[in-house]
Structures are given as C-alpha cells and as structure tokens.
Amino acid sequence: MVNLPDSDLFNRCIEVALKEKWHLLISKREATGTDSLLTHSLNVMSVAETLMKILGDFDEVETFEVLSGCFIHDSGKEDTEVQQILSGENSGSFKHKGDITRKAQLLEAIGVDNSLHETILAIDTIMERPENSSHKIDIACSQVPEEKVWRVVQLADQIVSQKSLDTIELKKGTLFAETLQRLGVNLSYHKVSMIRGITTQLLHNGVMMAYQNHGWTPALYYPDGTVYISRESTTIPERGEILECVKDTVEHYIESIPACELGASAFSGDIRISILNSPEFLFRDDDCVEAFWERIISQKAIRGASFPSEKQKVDDWTKALATKADEEQAVIELRYKKVRAVTRLAIVMKEIASYCEEKRPEAWGFFIKELQERLQVKEGIDKVLRRVANTSPTEQLVEVYNGLTLPTMLCDKDVDFLIRATVIHFKEITKKLREFMNGSIQIDFQKIAEQLLNDLERPLVDDLHVRSLETNRRYQNGKTKGSVCCVLCSSVPTTTATKPMIGEGVESFINLMKGGIRINGDHKAWICPLCEFEAKIRLVFVPDNKETILVLPQLNISESIKKKWSKGLTNLIDGMEALGLKPLRDRYWIDIIISAKIDADEKQIFTDIIQNNASKEAIIRTVSKWLENRYTSIDDMKPFLANDATALKDFEDAALHIVEEKLYLPREVKLEMEKDVKKSAGLHCSYVSPNYILITSAFPIAQMDESETSAIIRKVFIGLLLSRLFLASVVYPDIALGMYYHTGPTKGYLRVPKKLGLVNIYKNLGISDWIKVGQIDDMLLKLALYLKVDDLLLATGSSFGKDNLLNLFKKQPGEVLNRYLQVNREINPALYTYLVQANSI
Amino acid sequence: MVRPFIYLQEEEKKTSVEDIQKLQSEVITELSEYLKTFEPETRALSKSSIMGPVGKLISSAASGRFENKDAIVGFVVSLHNNQSASKASPTCIANLRNAIEKLDELHKITPRRYWLRILREIDYAVFVNGYGQAAQKLATNQNARSA
C-alpha cells in the first residue's frame, strides 16, 4: 500500500522549486529563447496530466509517479557547468541525467513515498534518449515501468520543449512524431500573427472553443497560440465554425460588461476635446444612456467651469452676461458657470443627434421636435444648435443658453439644479432617439469576428496579396488626406484616430507617423475597425490608457501556471484595487522585496502590503476623497451613518474610523463606495484567455515631476516585480495601443524599455535586451533598495531633483550620502545600509 | 657613420585595469583603517568632518604634491594633531605611511587622464566607510542610552 500525499502536488512542487531557486536556472539554450527550470518542470507536469486525462487508464499511483517523474526529469540542469553551456558562457554538450541522490532528495522534498522512488527514477532514466553507454546500462538495469507511463513523460517534455509554434510542425521519423504515434495522440495548434490586446484574447478563446467542439483539448498556451491534443479527432474546424465561435465569444464578452460601465465609456477623455467615442455602447440600452449622462455631468468642465482670465474674454463675457451697468463680478461668474454648463451639455446632446443623423437623416428633425416638446424652445433654435461648439463666440453660447432655459425659467435655479434638470430632459431625449434609431447603431459582431479572423495564421490564412491590395484601396482610389493604412497595425483604415483612443495627440503631431508629416484639418491618422474596437473596450475599464504591460508566458504556460496567474490576479491585484491602492505603485512592494517575502503565498503578501503604513495612508486618503465627493459636508454625512458618529471632525477622521472598522457605513453605501474605490485604482488586468495577461493603467508608473529616464527605471522595477509574481516574461509595448509581434520566444524575465540616457546604466548592470533568468532576484533587490533610497531622499528634501532615481545609479554612494548630510546634518544609518547593500549586489 | 636601419624600441608596459582597481581598493582600506584612529576634537556632521585629514590628503594628491612622501605624511600628521582629540600614535602614523605609499604607487601606474577620477572614487569610498563608522557609533550610543 502506497501513501500518497493529501495536499496539492503542484503547489508543493512550486514551493520546492522556489526554495531550490529553480526560477533562476535556465532549462533551454538562452540564445534562442528560454524559460526557467521551474516553469519548464511545472509545464511538463501539467501537460502530462492533460495527456493522462485524454488517454485514461492511469490509476492514482501511476498518475502520481508520472507527475513526480516530470518534476525531477530536468533536475540535472541544476549543475553549474550545464547552466554555463545553456547560457552560452561555455560551449559543448551536456548530459541530461543528474545525480540520482539529488533526485531522490527532491522526491522526498515533494513528499513522495520511498517505495515509489525506484519506479520514478526509472521513468526519469528511460524517458530520455540514451546519451552514453552508462545511460544505456542504467536503462537496462532499471525496473522498467509500463511503456505508456514513461512515454507520457517523454511526450509532455517534447511538447513543452518546443520554443515556438513555428517549430511544432511534425516531421516523419523524429522522436516527437514517433512518441505521438506510439501513444496514439494527435496534435494541432492555432496561431495568430499579432497580439492586439483584449481582442486577440477573444480571438484565442473563440478559436479554442471551435477546437474544443471538434474534440481537441488545449494543452499548452503560447502568447500567439494554443497547442491542442486529442486521442480520436483529427479534423480541424472550418472557417465558418471558427467565425461563429469567435463572434459568440466577442458578443458574450461585451454582454458580460455591466451596462453602467459600458454606457459611461461611450464618453472618455476631456469634454472640451472629444465627446462621443463609442456611440454603439451608448445606444446599447437605457441603462447605458443613464450611465453615459452621469459620466458627462461628473466632468469638471460642466460642474465648475472656471471664469476666463484673459482681458478680452472677460470683457466679452461681462458684456454678454451683465444685466445692468455695474453688475457684481460674482453674479457674472455664476451666470457664466450656468451658461457653460448648459451649453456644454447641449453640445453633447447635439453630437449624439448629429451622429444619429449620419445614419438616418430624419433623426435631427426628431431631436428638435423632442427638444421643443420638453423645453418649449423657440423655433429656429436648431440653426444655432447646429453651429454651436466649445469654441463658438460668446453671443452664440448665450443665445443657446437663453433658448434652452428661458422658456421653462430654469435659469433662475442654482447651477446644480440647472444641470440636473437639463440632464433629465437630455437623458429622455437620448432614450427616445435610441428607440427612433431602431437598432441601427450597434456593434457589428459579425464584422468584428471576420476581421479578427484575418489575424489568424493557422489553421486559416488569408491571401496576403489580397489583403495588401485592400489596405492600399484608399490610396489607389485617389486618397489625398489621412494615413494610407492603420497607423497601429497597417490594416485597412476606416476611421480617424482620437487622442482618448490611441493615447497620442492627433492635432498636430503624432509619434505613430513618419517624421515631418503634419497632421491638421482633414489630414489625420487613421485606424482600422479592430484597433478602434480594442481602444473602445479598453476605455470601458480605464478612462485613459497611460500604461500597457503584457505578461507573457516565458515560452509557454500550462494549467498549473495558469492557476498561479489567476490566484495572483484575484488575491493580490484585485484585493489591492478593492482598497483603492494602485498595484503598480512601487512603494507598496519595496519592503516585500527587501524582506524577501515575495515567495510567500499571495494572501500573505496582500496582508503584508495592507499593514504597510504607506498603504494605510493611501486607503484613508481614497476613502476620505470619496466621502467628500458624496456628501457636501461632514454634518450632511452624519445622519447617514449606521452607528453614532457625532464626534467626527472631518472627512479624513471619518475615513480613518471606517478603515479601522470603528464606524460602519450603511450596506448599500459601502457597496457603492467599494465599487467606486476599485475604479479609482485605474487598473484593468485582462485575463480573458490563458495565453497572456494584458494590464492597462489609467495612471503612469512615473511619479509626478519625474524625468522620463527615471520613470523607465521605475518601470523596470514594476516589470520585474510582475514577472516574479507571475513567473512570466513582461514586455512594455512601445505604444500603449500598439501591436506586439511575438516574433520569437522570450529570452528572459523582462524586455527592458530603451532610452538613450540609460545605455551606460544598463551596460554597468549587465543588461542587454532582456533581464536574463538568472539575474531577476538580484536586479529586483537592487532596484528595490535604490527606490527605498529614492523615497528617503524625497521625504527629507535631499533629492537630486527630477532625475533623482537616475542619479542614484550614476553617482557613487558617497555622493548620495554627502547630499543627504549637507541638507539634513544628521547621520542616517538606514540610508547607509540600503546604499551599501545595493552597491554590493 | 651608418645610421641603424631598424630600431628596437621597448614596448611600454600597459597597466591593467585590474591592477589599478586592486591597488585602489587597498588604498581605500588603508585610509579607512587610518580614519578609525582619528577622533576629531569637535564633531560636526559634514563630509569634511567625517573625512578628517584624509580629505586634505586627497586634495593635495589631486594637486600633484607627491614629490616627497615624508612631507605628505608630515603634513597629514600635523593636521591630525591639530584636529584630533589625541595625538597621532605610531600605529596610526604607520597606517598612514602605508596608505600614502600605496597611493603613490597607484599614482605611478594610473594614466594621467584617469587620476582625478580614481581619486574621486577613493574620496567617496573612504567617506562611505567613515559614514558607516559614524552610523555604527550612533547605533551603539542609542542602544546604550535605551539600555
């Protein structure tokens, strides 16, 4: 009778591998891309598990033997000489087989019963091709287990060892093909040509669904595709089936987004620049219309427009708004606020009506009729409304204001009431317009799915010649203005880009086009429908796409690492967001790194972060800000509290009491607060398909007033942190909404963002393109220590200015200490310790 | 007289970076050791106070006053005696002489264009060690007080 351990074998293997520092060892030759020994071993385990499920007929003991065999199969690579060969430091070949005593030790560490050691070691010996005569003798002497048992380990290792999907093609006569044949397993895969972000994740999921419908099981995920295995099926889904699955996936995804978020995202950015980004989202249902207008009135430009300061404008407005000769300035300013609020709301309403008119010409007449019925406006207001814009002359704005408010005497009310009353009418008109349009403004899922299929390289591929001709169609048809193809992905462009969408200024200069090209008038940067859709979806979750991070598998990932990713996202990132903490803020992580707690369980790390003083202050600040927005004064808030709170001084005091759980908000208020607070973190981690995680943030990683070069150092830290948390590779795409072309396997933990000012620093740190597998822990600790010093210097007013972080790398520790001493005239032992420790790494 | 057709010119021996780095770290250790024996009469929290006579030694080395080593030793000892609470002990002078000799050696093997950079590195490295000692003393005092 064999005793099998109760707890999860995968978790134990991760623990042991981290303890043995397998995450710092490479498993493949580094020059052509590698993953760590930890991820490789776990992936082999997972794929073997999937294979066993497909093949069936494996009892509990056999399953355990196979998984344990997978875990130790490459432990011979722990050897320093082997590592040197793999990293390219030394040349030559190496033996896969390691020391048997060491393997037995590892088996013991993961809790394998002694009675199973012999079989597991035999599996390990026999699964590799004989490397030399002693290996052959070992094989001959082993107590050979059943063929299916060791073949599963062999096949799992061969599948996981494929560095990219391009190399996975089966060639007759190879060991890979032979193993597949012996086990009676079929293999297939799908591949995409570029990684867009959320839309590509939806494409991955759609294709995966189509494969699953044909009896295939996903076994291994690459950033650009998925490997499937099957015992019976050999048929690959047809274009029509894939199209249907992709369409369903996209549709379900959009339907799963709450109406309030989807509707609100129809507007994004600054109301003075752009108004309606995603009309399809606004016209989805009435809830979306409500959410859209709520987002509009939360704009500062509407609630509190500031009176102009230029003399000419002051004169214009005074002349237009004063009712008597020496009218008080305060009265004029109040009237100005009202005019601005109403006219800006009217401009939004007009934009919606104009958009509807483009689709159905009668829509404008319908809108004016509704407006007249509700606000009793005068005949002829439509002519003024059609012309009105944010930059319209003062008289025109006043005319619109009077036209809308005078008939119902709304102008006599205060600003807040006026805004609310106007918006109630506009909401109803928008709803009526939605009914009037009768579903003609909505997302065309079929078209999106069709375009997404163009990104597929396998199992379908389009004729590239036809596609390039399509792309150039506008140019061939005598195009004179706008970019020839989509500035982001080079596909057929259909719409002009706006700043909230692509994150770049599009008025006069854009980084995405050739130097010297002037963008003005009708000459704009154009983007394709897919890039537009991607931008719109991202705007649903984050109001501004300031930072984009891709967390990619090192080579590939399997179910076990996928679980770790999900755990990290749910327990750590989501948890922090729920408290209003910004997970990409470095200060929450520095102490975790310095005290070497990064390997702890995600929940433990989360508790540690919350106990951190900086985090607590941030949570109190966020809650206090929320309370301030919700209630006009502290006295206004007190009656709504669930328990007695008469002694509260201000909102900050109230926030402190709430965070320390001495004061309880009513349940519905608390839920509302949690939702808002989570949103205020401004982060969205999209993990729709297992292939990669897309992180978008509304806030930059850089600190305020920090130079771009210092900000990149901070980005390197956050990138390394994410790669360490998820045991994955991290890439910062060059452009926030830009494509990522996964041209080959990753070559380490982080692809460092480049900047001219950092060339020497990277050189001194021994970093080239990637932070290599073996470098991560040292580099992370070094950066954490420097960031700690940076914080200390900033807190004591002895920083080197906006380039502080950069200077810490450039200057000698003595110079930093001297700077601190000059300003503070005191010895700081902590500063000394951090600096010396950072320099010794 | 027939002038020789082929000249034999001895190739100048190049100094390796490793040699310079090794000697540099030896100088830093020696100077830091010396600094341990220096206790200023009045302690101020500044770099020059922490560096004591070593600061002057480095600036004189930078200005090229390395013709007579004894003179330099005498100059630093005189500074030491003026600034320190106690006079320079024979061990302290021996440490100092040792450091100055090594510094002189370093001067000889270092290309002229790198000399000031090397000295700057020595200056700040000795300062870091001095700062460390001061931090250690502070911690000891605080511990004693709390005990």
Side-chain angles (χ1 to χ4, degrees):
Chain A
M1 179 71 189
V2 181
N3 288 329
L4 296 178
D6 302 328
S7 62
D8 184 9
L9 180 67
F10 281 96
N11 278 344
R12 225 154 348 99
C13 287
I14 293 181
E15 269 172 40
V16 172
L18 280 170
K19 210 170 135 196
E20 298 295 334
K21 304 273 175 208
W22 278 15
H23 61 286
L24 301 177
L25 303 176
I26 46 178
S27 67
K28 299 274 159 260
R29 288 190 191 265
E30 206 163 36
T32 49
T34 185
D35 55 356
S36 69
L37 190 53
L38 188 157
T39 44
H40 176 73
S41 307
L42 283 164
N43 283 342
V44 175
M45 281 173 81
S46 268
V47 173
E49 197 182 30
T50 316
L51 276 168
M52 284 188 286
K53 273 183 199 158
I54 290 170
L55 295 168
D57 203 22
F58 279 81
D59 62 32
E60 213 181 335
V61 178
E62 278 172 336
T63 309
F64 188 73
E65 282 170 348
V66 166
L67 295 180
S68 310
C70 290
F71 181 66
I72 58 158
H73 84 281
D74 256 352
S75 61
K77 287 178 182 166
E78 278 181 327
D79 188 53
T80 322
E81 280 175 26
V82 176
Q83 284 296 311
Q84 282 169 346
I85 294 170
L86 289 174
S87 66
E89 224 173 291
N90 287 343
S91 58
S93 58
F94 59 88
K95 283 186 279 174
H96 281 80
K97 295 296 112 194
D99 182 8
I100 288 188
T101 335
R102 172 70 183 144
K103 289 187 187 255
Q105 258 177 18
L106 288 168
L107 289 176
E108 217 162 280
I110 58 168
V112 178
D113 196 283
N114 275 346
S115 60
L116 295 176
H117 281 204
E118 205 179 334
T119 324
I120 297 168
L121 291 173
I123 295 172
D124 177 53
T125 311
I126 206 165
M127 64 162 282
E128 297 281 356
R129 271 190 170 169
E131 287 169 331
N132 51 26
S133 42
S134 80
H135 190 185
K136 280 179 191 163
I137 296 168
D138 283 346
I139 293 173
C141 299
S142 341
Q143 175 209 351
V144 181
E146 246 187 281
E147 187 182 355
K148 65 168 189 185
V149 173
W150 63 266
R151 282 278 185 205
V152 163
V153 185
Q154 193 179 46
L155 181 61
D157 185 31
Q158 281 165 353
I159 296 175
V160 174
S161 298
Q162 303 300 319
K163 289 191 176 179
S164 79
L165 287 164
D166 298 325
T167 59
I168 218 163
E169 287 292 349
L170 291 175
K171 284 178 195 146
K172 257 192 174 177
T174 54
L175 181 64
F176 190 17
E178 192 193 327
T179 322
L180 278 168
Q181 200 193 346
R182 288 285 181 101
L183 282 170
V185 173
N186 299 313
L187 187 130
S188 184
Y189 67 93
H190 88 254
K191 189 175 184 296
V192 298
S193 56
M194 62 179 104
I195 294 171
R196 292 174 183 276
I198 301 174
T199 40
T200 306
Q201 284 185 332
L202 295 173
L203 175 64
H204 277 314
N205 265 4
V207 182
M208 190 166 80
M209 197 202 282
Y211 265 93
Q212 278 172 325
N213 292 345
H214 274 253
W216 293 91
T217 309
L220 201 60
Y221 306 95
Y222 287 78
D224 55 346
T226 306
V227 175
Y228 306 95
I229 44 179
S230 151
R231 197 169 188 188
E232 290 95 20
S233 177
T234 48
T235 56
I236 288 168
E238 299 283 323
R239 186 186 168 86
E241 293 167 73
I242 296 178
L243 184 72
E244 203 54 41
C245 288
V246 173
K247 189 188 145 209
D248 285 352
T249 314
V250 179
E251 208 168 340
H252 281 134
Y253 180 76
I254 295 293
E255 272 167 18
S256 69
I257 300 170
C260 57
E261 284 179 28
L262 201 65
S265 75
F267 162 78
S268 191
D270 189 334
I271 197 148
R272 288 163 298 180
I273 299 168
S274 65
I275 291 161
L276 200 56
N277 284 325
S278 323
E280 311 91 334
F281 294 170
L282 167 67
F283 284 101
R284 189 178 160 215
D285 56 32
D286 286 353
D287 289 344
C288 287
V289 173
E290 291 275 342
F292 171 79
W293 281 105
E294 287 304 318
R295 165 77 70 92
I296 293 286
I297 55 172
S298 69
Q299 285 287 300
K300 206 182 160 202
I302 286 184
R303 298 192 98 166
S306 48
F307 198 69
S309 52
E310 299 95 0
K311 197 179 173 306
Q312 181 63 43
K313 284 188 180 171
V314 173
D315 290 347
D316 282 354
W317 280 103
T318 314
K319 200 174 140 194
L321 298 175
T323 47
K324 52 187 180 189
D326 49 350
E327 184 105 55
E328 271 182 50
Q329 186 63 19
V331 177
I332 294 172
E333 282 183 19
L334 180 70
R335 219 168 278 153
Y336 171 81
K337 274 191 177 162
K338 287 182 185 179
V339 175
R340 271 296 185 203
V342 172
T343 47
R344 280 186 174 143
L345 288 172
I347 293 167
V348 175
M349 190 64 244
K350 176 207 109 175
E351 283 294 320
I352 296 171
S354 303
Y355 185 82
C356 294
E357 195 189 10
E358 272 176 37
K359 303 275 169 191
R360 201 174 157 189
E362 310 90 71
W364 181 263
F366 179 80
F367 159 64
I368 294 295
K369 199 176 125 239
E370 281 290 321
L371 200 66
Q372 274 164 347
E373 269 177 28
R374 293 189 160 272
L375 294 164
Q376 287 97 48
V377 291
K378 286 179 277 176
E379 290 277 328
I381 187 89
D382 62 326
K383 280 179 194 158
V384 197
L385 256 181
R386 255 190 199 286
R387 287 200 311 272
V388 75
N390 273 311
T391 47
S392 293
T394 314
E395 301 79 44
Q396 223 177 76
L397 293 174
V398 175
E399 196 183 341
V400 171
Y401 169 74
N402 288 338
L404 292 175
T405 56
L406 274 180
T408 44
M409 295 313 286
L410 272 172
C411 52
D412 292 341
K413 308 288 179 189
D414 67 12
V415 184
D416 274 348
F417 187 89
L418 182 64
I419 294 172
R420 278 275 159 209
T422 317
V423 161
I424 287 171
H425 293 302
F426 285 169
K427 272 181 187 172
E428 289 309 312
I429 296 174
T430 316
K431 285 176 192 169
K432 291 268 180 203
L433 264 175
R434 196 179 83 80
E435 275 169 33
F436 181 78
M437 294 308 287
N438 200 17
S440 59
I441 301 174
Q442 58 182 339
I443 309 164
D444 189 348
F445 292 110
Q446 179 75 18
K447 205 171 155 194
I448 285 169
E450 273 170 19
Q451 278 160 346
L452 270 174
L453 250 51
N454 286 342
D455 285 355
L456 265 186
E457 260 186 21
R458 203 180 184 280
L460 314 167
V461 64
D462 277 359
D463 187 345
L464 287 175
H465 178 64
V466 175
R467 275 172 70 185
S468 62
L469 283 179
E470 263 179 52
T471 308
N472 280 292
R473 182 173 37 83
R474 287 175 68 235
Y475 189 68
Q476 287 167 338
N477 293 347
K479 174 211 82 77
T480 50
K481 286 176 178 175
S483 56
V484 178
C485 52
C486 170
V487 287
L488 296 166
C489 72
S490 310
S491 301
V492 186
T494 50
T495 182
T496 49
T498 57
K499 188 184 178 291
M501 274 189 192
I502 63 169
E504 290 254 6
V506 287
E507 276 310 306
S508 59
F509 167 76
I510 183 166
N511 248 338
L512 306 171
M513 284 171 78
K514 229 164 105 178
I517 293 177
R518 189 165 173 78
I519 305 277
N520 53 10
D522 292 338
H523 187 60
K524 298 274 189 200
W526 282 62
I527 55 171
C528 72
L530 273 187
C531 288
E532 188 191 357
F533 187 59
E534 173 75 34
K536 284 176 180 175
I537 300 181
R538 288 194 197 185
L539 285 176
V540 172
F541 305 107
V542 286
D544 200 353
N545 197 352
K546 285 261 167 59
E547 214 77 72
T548 304
I549 308 172
L550 278 170
V551 179
L552 308 168
Q554 282 187 322
L555 286 183
N556 39 47
I557 69 154
S558 55
E559 290 298 319
S560 54
I561 308 272
K562 188 181 132 189
K563 276 182 201 156
K564 187 165 171 61
W565 282 16
S566 304
K567 262 169 73 184
L569 286 174
T570 331
N571 296 341
L572 206 57
I573 309 288
D574 279 0
M576 286 177 77
E577 279 184 279
L579 294 169
L581 298 178
K582 296 181 178 70
L584 298 188
R585 190 55 57 88
D586 50 75
R587 65 173 50 171
Y588 305 135
W589 301 96
I590 296 171
D591 289 329
I592 301 280
I593 305 289
I594 294 176
S595 53
K597 285 180 183 165
I598 192 78
D599 286 337
D601 179 65
E602 287 85 359
K603 283 183 185 163
Q604 185 55 46
I605 299 177
F606 177 65
T607 320
D608 285 345
I609 289 173
I610 301 306
Q611 280 165 359
N612 179 343
N613 276 338
S615 317
K616 204 174 169 187
E617 276 167 28
I619 298 167
I620 293 169
R621 230 179 2 252
T622 316
V623 173
S624 153
K625 212 171 157 189
W626 185 85
L627 294 172
E628 219 173 313
N629 277 341
R630 192 169 202 279
Y631 304 101
T632 44
S633 71
I634 188 80
D635 296 324
D636 181 34
M637 178 191 141
K638 281 176 189 169
F640 296 99
L641 293 174
N643 52 347
D644 184 44
T646 42
L648 290 178
K649 281 180 274 170
D650 50 20
F651 285 118
E652 204 153 313
D653 193 26
L656 177 74
H657 279 73
I658 291 167
V659 171
E660 286 179 350
E661 294 187 347
K662 289 177 189 162
L663 188 70
Y664 298 97
L665 290 170
R667 203 180 128 71
E668 64 280 3
V669 179
K670 198 171 173 237
L671 286 175
E672 192 189 327
M673 184 180 84
E674 277 171 0
K675 212 174 90 191
D676 288 352
V677 159
K678 191 169 180 184
K679 216 157 185 201
S680 71
L683 192 82
H684 177 65
C685 299
S686 169
Y687 192 40
V688 182
S689 83
N691 303 66
Y692 58 89
I693 305 173
L694 173 87
I695 300 176
T696 42
S697 168
F699 299 98
I701 290 173
Q703 287 204 343
M704 215 188 277
D705 300 332
E706 191 172 45
S707 76
E708 229 177 291
T709 324
S710 290
I712 288 187
I713 299 176
R714 222 173 274 278
K715 273 180 158 185
V716 171
F717 174 75
I718 291 295
L720 284 177
L721 174 87
L722 290 171
S723 52
R724 190 65 174 75
L725 280 176
F726 293 109
L727 297 169
S729 296
V730 167
V731 167
Y732 284 96
D734 298 328
I735 303 155
L737 190 71
M739 300 302 109
Y740 173 68
Y741 294 93
H742 189 70
T743 46
T746 59
K747 290 179 182 171
Y749 275 112
L750 173 77
R751 192 178 75 172
V752 286
K754 296 281 172 67
K755 182 95 182 136
L756 197 61
L758 285 169
V759 173
N760 281 338
I761 291 173
Y762 282 160
K763 204 172 148 193
N764 292 342
L765 291 172
I767 301 169
S768 51
D769 261 7
W770 286 84
I771 290 187
K772 291 179 182 165
V773 171
Q775 289 177 312
I776 185 166
D777 276 5
D778 284 350
M779 210 55 75
L780 196 56
L781 180 60
K782 196 177 180 94
L783 285 166
L785 289 163
Y786 273 130
L787 285 168
K788 190 86 186 167
V789 173
D790 175 64
D791 262 5
L792 257 168
L793 294 184
L794 281 172
T796 51
S798 35
S799 80
F800 290 95
K802 63 175 189 167
D803 264 332
N804 193 38
L805 196 52
L806 180 69
N807 275 317
L808 296 183
F809 283 86
K810 275 184 173 173
K811 293 194 186 293
Q812 294 173 42
E815 288 178 82
V816 180
L817 287 174
N818 189 24
R819 168 91 188 155
Y820 179 84
L821 205 57
Q822 278 172 350
V823 177
N824 297 288
R825 297 278 160 202
E826 62 169 21
I827 299 283
N828 189 332
L831 180 68
Y832 168 77
T833 319
Y834 293 138
L835 270 172
V836 171
Q837 204 185 337
N839 269 277
S840 64
I841 296 168
Chain B
M1 191 188 141
V2 181
R3 298 182 73 183
F5 184 65
I6 297 169
Y7 290 94
L8 265 178
Q9 202 172 3
E10 205 179 318
E11 202 178 291
E12 217 177 273
K13 200 190 161 196
K14 284 184 182 168
T15 321
S16 72
V17 178
E18 285 78 28
D19 285 346
I20 295 178
Q21 279 172 347
K22 197 179 157 219
L23 209 51
Q24 189 188 10
S25 63
E26 278 175 19
V27 172
I28 292 166
T29 322
E30 293 286 348
L31 286 175
S32 303
E33 277 303 309
Y34 159 73
L35 215 53
K36 278 182 192 167
T37 58
F38 173 77
E39 190 63 44
E41 205 167 4
T42 49
R43 187 173 280 283
L45 286 169
S46 65
K47 180 171 176 271
S48 43
S49 160
I50 288 173
M51 294 289 279
V54 176
K56 287 282 176 198
L57 168 68
I58 289 170
S59 53
S60 64
S63 63
R65 284 170 62 185
F66 254 116
E67 278 150 23
N68 190 333
K69 274 177 272 176
D70 288 337
I72 291 282
V73 174
F75 168 61
V76 178
V77 170
S78 145
L79 282 171
H80 183 117
N81 290 343
N82 287 337
Q83 290 176 3
S84 173
S86 58
K87 297 258 184 247
S89 67
T91 343
C92 162
I93 297 173
N95 271 345
L96 186 64
R97 185 176 288 278
N98 209 359
I100 290 172
E101 266 165 19
K102 282 192 173 154
L103 192 63
D104 184 38
E105 216 175 303
L106 182 65
H107 185 214
K108 280 174 190 157
I109 65 165
T110 309
R112 198 187 287 179
R113 57 183 289 207
Y114 291 115
W115 176 234
L116 287 181
R117 209 173 92 181
I118 297 275
L119 273 182
R120 198 161 171 268
E121 280 172 14
I122 293 174
D123 184 23
Y124 279 114
V126 174
F127 171 61
V128 169
N129 292 345
Y131 193 97
Q133 283 165 27
Q136 215 172 356
K137 268 183 203 164
L138 188 78
T140 323
N141 289 347
Q142 277 173 352
N143 285 344
R145 239 178 275 154
S146 61

